Each structure stands twice: as C-alpha cells, then as structure tokens.
C-alpha cells in the first residue's frame, strides 16, 4: 500500500504546481500489454469464446440484447422490432364516471365564461340564462362526484364561481331578492374562505333598495371581515358607509366616516362628500376646512415627464409616444374629475361661507390660487360673474368679465364670449360683434366664440357669412349642437331647404327628444309642401311636449288644409284647452260650430274673443248674429243695442238694429234709421274731403295696403289662414240675407290680432334660441372654457 503513497519532498513546500504530474498507476496504459486479465477480455470481445466448461464472465451486454441466440445466427434486434408494431393503447372509456365528471366540469366552466362575456356585451338577459344553466349543471356535477368520490374531492372553487356569477347576474338584472338569496348561500357556507367580503355586495343591493339600515349593517359586517393590512378595501367600504349615511340624511354619521378617511387616506371623492355634508348642516368654518382638505389632496400626476428636456430624437420620440397613451388619458380623467369636484364645491359653499357671495367667491379664489389648481381661479371668477347675472346685476357681471378679458388667451376668449352674449341679448349688435371678434382672435378653435360671431352676422342679415362661421365652429367641434341648429336656420333663410333639412336630421340623431329640432323638421317639410311628413313630425313633437298649444294648433291647421275637419277640430280644441287666449284658435272653433250649426256653442267662443279684444266690434256682432240664427231675437236685439252703446259710430251695428227692429215692429227702428242716415252722410262728406284735399294720399295708402298685404302673405305663409277665416265669418249668415253686413271690408279692417301671426310662433321660439340659447354658454359660464 505504501508504494502508491507519494510524499512531497520538503524542498517543494513552496512549489504551487507540485503534484500535478502524479496519478494513479492503474491508469497507466504502458503496462496494459503485461496485464493478463485485460488481454483475456480483449480476446473475448473479438468473438473468441473461451473453452467449454469455462464460465463466461458477467457483463452488461445481455441487457442490450446480446444473447446467445444472437451469436448463433439470429438477427440483431435489440428493440424487438421484428415482432411487428406495438399493440394500440387501450382507449379510455367515455362512459366511465371520471370522464363524465370531467366533461361536465368543462361545460360548467364554458357556461360561466359565456355568461361573463354576455354581461360585458350588455346582453344581461342572456348572461342570466347562461348563469342559471351553469348553476343547474354544477349541481348535477356535485351529485355525480359525491357518488364516485368522497365529498372532500368536490371542486369548491368551481362551485364558488358559479354561485358568485349567478348572484352578480341577478343583481344587474335588478332581481334583488334572488341575488340576496344566492349571496346568503355563499356567505353561510363555511367551506368558502373569505366569502364574508361578499357582504359588501349585499350592502350595495340594500342601498339600491333604499334599505339604508340593512345596507349599513352589511357594510360594517364586511368591514369586520377585511384585515387591517388591506387598507384600500377598508377605505372603499367606509366610503360606501358614508354615502349611505348621506342618502339616509344622517350627515353627522357621514361626517365621521369621511373625516376618518381623510385622516387615513385622503381622496377626492371623500373630500368632496365631506364638504357637501358640512354644507348640509350649515357649519361655515368646517366647510372652509373641508374645502382646504379637498384642495390639498395630491393628484400624483407628473406633468414634467411629458415635456422633452433635450433635443435627443430618441427622447422626443418616447415623449410623443406617451403623450396620449392610456396612462395619460387616465391622468387627464383624474385631473378633470378633481377640477369638477373643486369647482362644484366652490360654487356650492361660496354664497354661504361669508356675509355675501362675492366675499365667499373671493375667499375660494385665494385658496385655489395658493394650491396646485391655480388655473381654476379664473374659472371661479367667471362663475362669480354668472352669479351676478342670475341676480340681474348685469353691471357687476360685465365689470368682472372685462377684467378677465385682459388676461391670458384662454380666459380672455371665455370672458369675451360671455360679453358678446350679453350684448347680443341686449340688442347691442355692434358691441356683441366686437367682443365676438376678440374671442375668436384669442382662441380661433373656440366653437362658442365662432357661434356667437355667426349670430351677430345672422342678426345683420348676412346669412352666407353666418353659415361660414357656423361651419368653422362645427369643424372645430363636431358636437357643437348650437352651431348645427343655427346653420339649419340659416339655410332655411336662404331657402336651401334640402340642406336645412339635412342639418336638422343630423341634429335629431344627436338630440333625439328635442322638441325644437322636431318642430323645425316639420316646418321645413311644410315649406317643401309635404304636409303628410309635416304632420308626422309634429306628432312626434306632441309626444315629447303634449301640452304645447302652438304645436297643437299647427296640427289643426295642417289637418284643416288636408280637409280632415274632425282631426282639425280635435287639435284646435286641445290647443284651446291649454291656452284659451289664442284669437286664431277661438275664431276657427267659432267658425267650425257655425258651419255645423251649433250656434250656442259658437257664442261662447265669440264672447271669449270679445273679452280678449274688447275694442273690436267684430266679435260682438258675431255673438249677436249667432243669437239671431238660433232664433233668440230678443237676445240678439239686446246684444246689438249693447254693441251700439259701446260703438255708436259703427254703421254695421246700426244697419242690423234698423232691420231687426223693423221686423219686430219696434218704435226704435225710426230713431236708429235717423242715426244711420246721419252717419252715412258724415261718412260721405269725410270721404269727399279726403279725396279732394289729399290727391296723393290714395297712392300712398295703396302702397301701405300693398305692403301690409305682402306682410300678411309672409306671416300666414301660403295658406292665408287669416283671410280664409275672415271670409268664412263674413259669409256665415249669407250675403243675400237682410240682417248681414253689406260692408265686409270695414269689419275686416277692424280686426287686429294682438298676438301676432300664430303660424310664426314656433319660429319665434327658434329665433329665441338663436338669440339666447344658441350660445355655447347657456348659463353664461358653466361650459365656456374648453377642456
């Protein structure tokens, strides 16, 4: 043994490489020729069998297929390939219980997924059906699994997901009782871990049902189930508790919840709701503190990363790529929500936190200027001006807006837009146009400014130029409905009815239930001489505003033109019910009852007309005529006498009195005849003096009459409704009867409609919209500043 041990000499202690040439002599190949065992193995390996009787040494070749049979002439086949292909694997039995369970479990999972997908697509009914199918199949699966395996092997996760999805689908389909029962099944099952958090969902359902006490109870139970390390979840549950207290009117309890949230993890919603709660209880100082807490909530938005600090092309490319990505959009939404909460809170508390709303706004402005929301200070100033407008203090509002008009471009454009609107409503079109120009020059992409400029041009009658401004406003903001409405009115003025109709139909697609838009479409169809379409669209207006008397009278007029008297009477009567002072409607109804020979019913309408227009003799003569036609001559005589006392110089009334008294054999006939003769003689003398003294007066009067008739034709459109009704009233008792007026012209001249041409009333509403409501700042400030 010692011959294989090599001791290093003492002189090699410092040699780091000593010993590397030493090796075990068993690996020495130089001595293999003298090794008898190795030589014997080599001879055996070359097929030289040892003599009989000598036992073959054990080797590893037998396991590889080297057998005695192979050495005796059989082919080398270590893998037994000569035996043919292997027999196929035994197929699994599809009818086995395990396979049925796996297939059923797969179907349940697919149904749950389909239910969730249907819910996300908005098909809530299909989602509920899929959830119910999943629940039924899952129960079948549980029974089969219990028959095959032990209860411990039941897939609890699948059962939980099926029940939870079913409860969710019940909830979104407003089947709250079923949803609560399903949640109860989950919560009471002790095998489901962390199922107690679902009590928050149950609280949400009770909140929707306005069962506030139970909602708070389940929220608190859910809060107890959430560990303290899950801080965000606890905060959200406490916010729900605060909202429930607010809806229940328990503001003190809500304040406790929100104060705790603001001390632990302040957020915008909690700060906003806290401000509302203090406003509800009227605590001024606490309102101020809550507003200051809301202002100090961090936004956690880094604006600097969107500004490229260098001229590096790669850095600039990255900056451009992230300027409008999803994260940036989320940050914009968060900032917009913060500004909305702050502005709403300021507008809410400013009028009450100080002795005057102006002082309150000043305090809010100072607080905002000292915060990260400096740009909102100018918006608060504009809201201050709006408050002055609501209090009818226009001078103060104009003063504030003029100060803001001198600031940066964004605020300048908004202030100038409001000033333009104010001067426009005051009919000072020069100042309105001037400030509209300032607003447009400050911000050419402000659709409200462009709309106001178009309105000032529209008021001056330059409709083509107004249309250009409205088009530019639409190019800057395709959702500017005011510009789209006004351009429709402009095309209508230009008699480009097809284009006007196209504009209003587009607007109808945006504002589905706008009565103004529906009426304009009907009006254009009427101008295009398509009464059936006009009636159809007016019926839609009635469905939106069923009590509008002007729309109802317009429907009656259209049906009257079409010859449908019964429908016309129905809508005229409905219009009269809602507004019994429309002379045109009263006149039509009276004429209708005369046509149908219901004299007594016609009398009540003409009596109302005489009350509305007491200076018009026409209505009292019609009342007397109705009494005469109904056979009540004494009442007719009394009415004529009363009319003569009120209008002693009316020739027509005297003529009726003379003929009626003569037929009745009364002595008063001679007196009335003398009065009639004297009045006719005075009338002839007056006419001769006018004719001889003013030679040119006839031509001037003819021109005026022509102008008036032209205006009447314009106001009454193609129907000449007033002329038809007056002609009908003149012809009612018959021109060949002795008691009727022989001077119809005088009666017509005495009729003056104090309400104006009724057919233009809805157009007046449209003009009112273009005068006032077509500005993007409907309340002068709320939506002035573009985001």
């Amino acid at each position: 043994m010692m011959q294989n041990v090599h001791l290093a000499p003492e002189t090699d202690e410092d040699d780091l490489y000593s010993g590397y040439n030493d090796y075990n002599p068993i690996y020495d190949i130089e001595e293999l020729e003298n090794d008898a065992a190795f030589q014997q193995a080599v001879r055996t390996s070359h097929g030289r069998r040892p003599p009989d009787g000598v036992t073959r040494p054990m080797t590893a070749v037998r396991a590889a297929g080297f057998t005695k049979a192979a050495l005796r002439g059989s082919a080398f086949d270590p893998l037994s390939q000569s035996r043919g292909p292997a027999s196929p694997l035994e197929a699994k039995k599809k009818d086995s219980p395990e396979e049925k369970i796996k297939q059923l479990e797969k179907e349940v999972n697919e149904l749950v997924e389909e239910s969730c997908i249907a819910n996300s697509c908005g098909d809530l009914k299909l989602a509920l059906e899929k959830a119910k199918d999943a629940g039924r199949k899952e129960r079948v699966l549980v029974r089969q699994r219990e028959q095959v395996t032990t209860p411990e092997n039941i897939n609890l996760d699948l059962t939980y997901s099926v029940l939870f999805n079913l409860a969710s689908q019940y909830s979104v389909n407003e089947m709250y009782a079923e949803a609560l029962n399903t949640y109860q099944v989950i919560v009471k099952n002790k095998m489901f871990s962390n199922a107690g958090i679902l009590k928050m969902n149950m609280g949400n359902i009770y909140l929707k049902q306005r069962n506030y006490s139970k909602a708070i109870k389940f929220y608190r139970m859910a809060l107890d189930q959430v560990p303290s390390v899950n801080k965000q979840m606890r905060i959200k549950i406490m916010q729900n508790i605060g909202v429930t207290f607010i809806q229940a009117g328990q503001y003190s309890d809500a304040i406790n919840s929100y104060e705790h949230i603001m001390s632990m993890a302040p957020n915008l919603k909690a700060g906003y709701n806290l401000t509302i709660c203090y406003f509800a209880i009227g605590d001024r100082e606490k309102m101020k503190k809550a507003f200051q807490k809301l202002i100090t909530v961090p936004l956690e938005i880094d604006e600097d990363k969107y500004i490229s600090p260098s001229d590096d092309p790669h850095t600039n490319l990255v900056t451009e790529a992230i300027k409008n990505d999803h994260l940036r959009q989320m940050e914009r939404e968060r900032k917009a929500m913060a500004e909305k909460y702050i502005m709403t809170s300021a507008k809410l508390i400013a009028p009450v936190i100080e002795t005057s709303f102006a002082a309150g706004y000043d305090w809010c402005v100072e607080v905002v200027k000292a915060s990260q929301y400096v740009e909102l200070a100018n918006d608060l100033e504009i809201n201050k001006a709006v408050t002055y407008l609501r209090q009818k203090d226009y001078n103060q509002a104009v003063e504030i807006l003029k100060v803001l008009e001198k600031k940066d471009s964004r605020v300048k454009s908004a202030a100038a837009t409001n000033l333009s609107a104010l001067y426009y409503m005051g009919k000072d079109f020069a100042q309105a146009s001037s400030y509209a120009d300032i607003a447009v020059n400050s911000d050419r992409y402000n659709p409200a400014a462009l709309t106001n400029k178009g309105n000032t041009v529209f008021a001056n009658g330059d409709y083509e130029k107004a249309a250009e401004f409205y088009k530019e406003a639409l190019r800057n903001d395709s959702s500017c409905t005011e510009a789209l409405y006004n351009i429709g009115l402009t095309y209508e003025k230009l008699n480009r009815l097809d284009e006007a109709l196209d504009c209003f139909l587009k607007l109808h697609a945006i504002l589905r239930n706008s009565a103004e838009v529906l009426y304009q479409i009907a009006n254009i169809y009427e101008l295009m001489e398509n009464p059936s379409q006009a009636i159809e669209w007016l019926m839609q207006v009635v469905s939106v505003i069923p009590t509008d008397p002007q729309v109802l009278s317009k429907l009656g007029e259209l049906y009257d033109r079409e010859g449908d008297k019964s429908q016309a009477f129905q809508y005229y009567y409905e219009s009269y019910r809602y507004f019994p002072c429309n002379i045109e409607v009263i006149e039509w109804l009276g004429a209708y009852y005369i046509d149908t020979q219901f004299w007594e019913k016609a009398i009540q309408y003409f009596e109302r007309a005489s009350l509305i227009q007491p200076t018009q003799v026409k209505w009292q003569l019609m009342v007397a005529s109705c009494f005469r036609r109904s056979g009540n001559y004494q009442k007719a005589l009394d009415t004529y006498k009363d009319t003569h006392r009120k209008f002693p110089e009316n020739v027509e009334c005297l003529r009726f009195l003379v003929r009626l008294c003569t037929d009745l054999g009364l002595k008063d006939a001679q007196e009335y005849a003398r009065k009639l003769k004297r009045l006719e003689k005075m009338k002839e003398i007056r006419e001769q003096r006018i004719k001889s003294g003013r030679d040119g007066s006839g031509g001037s009067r003819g021109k005026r009459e022509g102008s008036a008739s032209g205006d009447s034709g314009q106001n009454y459109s193609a129907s000449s409704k007033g002329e038809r009704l007056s002609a009908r009233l003149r012809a009612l008792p018959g021109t060949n009867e002795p008691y009727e007026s022989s001077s119809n012209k005088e009666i017509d001249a005495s009729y003056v409609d104090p309400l104006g041409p009724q057919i233009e009333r809805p157009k007046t509403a449209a003009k009112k919209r273009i005068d006032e409501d077509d500005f993007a700042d409907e309340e002068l400030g709320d939506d002035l500043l573009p985001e």
Side-chain angles (χ1 to χ4, degrees), residues 451 455 470 474 479-488 507 511 769 773-778:
T451 302
N455 290 347
Y470 296 141
L474 286 172
S479 63
C480 183
T481 55
E482 295 85 2
L484 186 57
Y485 185 92
N486 288 355
I487 198 173
L507 194 58
L511 307 174
R769 184 173 178 83
D773 298 340
D774 279 355
F775 301 98
D777 49 329
E778 290 187 4

Side-chain angles (χ1 to χ4, degrees), residues 436-686:
D437 289 333
I438 294 173
V440 172
N441 294 332
S442 300
D443 184 3
R444 190 71 189 185
Y445 299 98
N446 184 354
L450 291 166
T451 302
N452 286 2
K453 180 60 181 175
N455 290 347
T456 59
V457 177
F458 185 97
N460 293 327
D462 192 350
Y463 303 123
E464 292 285 356
K465 191 173 181 180
E468 293 300 323
F469 281 107
Y470 296 141
K471 288 178 182 178
E472 186 174 354
L474 286 172
R475 284 194 294 270
N476 293 337
D477 183 7
S478 59
S479 63
C480 183
T481 55
E482 295 85 2
L484 186 57
Y485 185 92
N486 288 355
I487 198 173
L489 294 179
T490 306
Y491 286 143
E492 186 178 338
K493 287 288 186 180
L494 294 171
N495 202 29
R496 294 156 62 176
L497 300 180
D498 291 332
E499 296 177 65
L501 181 62
D502 184 57
C503 290
F504 287 121
L505 288 175
K506 288 180 181 177
L507 194 58
H508 174 61
I510 301 172
L511 307 174
R512 302 296 300 180
N513 295 321
S514 173
E516 293 86 354
V517 176
L518 293 169
Y519 181 84
Q520 289 300 331
I521 295 173
N523 185 47
I524 291 175
Y525 274 121
E526 182 187 1
L527 295 175
M528 297 171 70
E529 299 181 357
N530 190 344
S532 60
Q533 282 292 327
I535 290 173
E536 181 179 343
W537 285 96
L538 283 176
M539 292 297 291
Q540 294 189 42
V541 179
V542 172
S543 67
V544 177
I545 308 177
T547 60
D548 191 317
Q550 299 302 329
V551 176
L552 292 168
S553 66
K554 186 67 177 178
L555 271 170
E557 178 189 342
L558 291 174
Y559 277 117
D560 188 23
R561 289 187 200 171
E562 294 296 301
D564 192 343
K565 298 295 183 183
S566 61
Q567 285 289 345
F569 170 76
Q570 176 186 347
Y571 287 107
Y572 271 124
Y573 183 75
E574 287 295 314
S575 176
Y576 174 79
R577 280 202 317 119
Y578 292 118
F579 184 62
C581 299
N582 189 329
I583 287 293
E584 188 174 291
V585 174
I586 292 172
E587 185 177 8
W588 191 95
L589 288 171
Y592 174 81
Y593 280 120
I594 288 177
D595 283 342
T596 55
Q597 298 183 1
F598 287 97
W599 316 107
E600 294 80 2
K601 290 187 176 181
I603 289 171
Q604 64 179 349
Y605 290 102
F606 291 128
E607 286 179 342
R608 178 172 289 276
S610 66
L611 292 175
I612 297 172
Q613 293 182 343
T615 61
Q616 302 299 319
V617 68
K618 173 182 180 178
W619 308 118
Q620 299 187 36
L621 292 176
M622 292 306 302
V623 171
S625 177
C626 289
F627 279 127
R628 184 193 61 79
R629 296 298 297 268
S630 64
N632 193 344
Y633 297 107
Q634 185 60 43
K635 193 69 175 177
L637 180 61
D638 294 340
T639 305
Y640 280 128
K641 288 181 178 180
D642 184 64
T643 304
H644 176 64
R645 283 192 297 270
K646 294 179 181 178
F647 303 94
E649 296 184 357
N650 187 270
V651 177
E652 302 301 324
C653 183
L654 282 171
R655 286 176 180 167
F656 287 128
L657 281 171
V658 170
R659 299 301 298 271
L660 188 57
C661 289
T662 301
D663 288 353
L664 293 176
L666 300 177
K667 297 179 180 180
D668 296 336
Q670 296 179 358
E671 181 182 354
Y672 288 129
R674 285 194 300 270
K675 290 182 180 181
L676 176 60
K677 187 175 181 180
R678 185 171 61 250
L679 282 175
E680 287 178 343
K681 188 174 182 179
M682 290 175 61
K683 183 178 179 182
E684 291 176 1
I685 294 173
R686 191 182 302 116

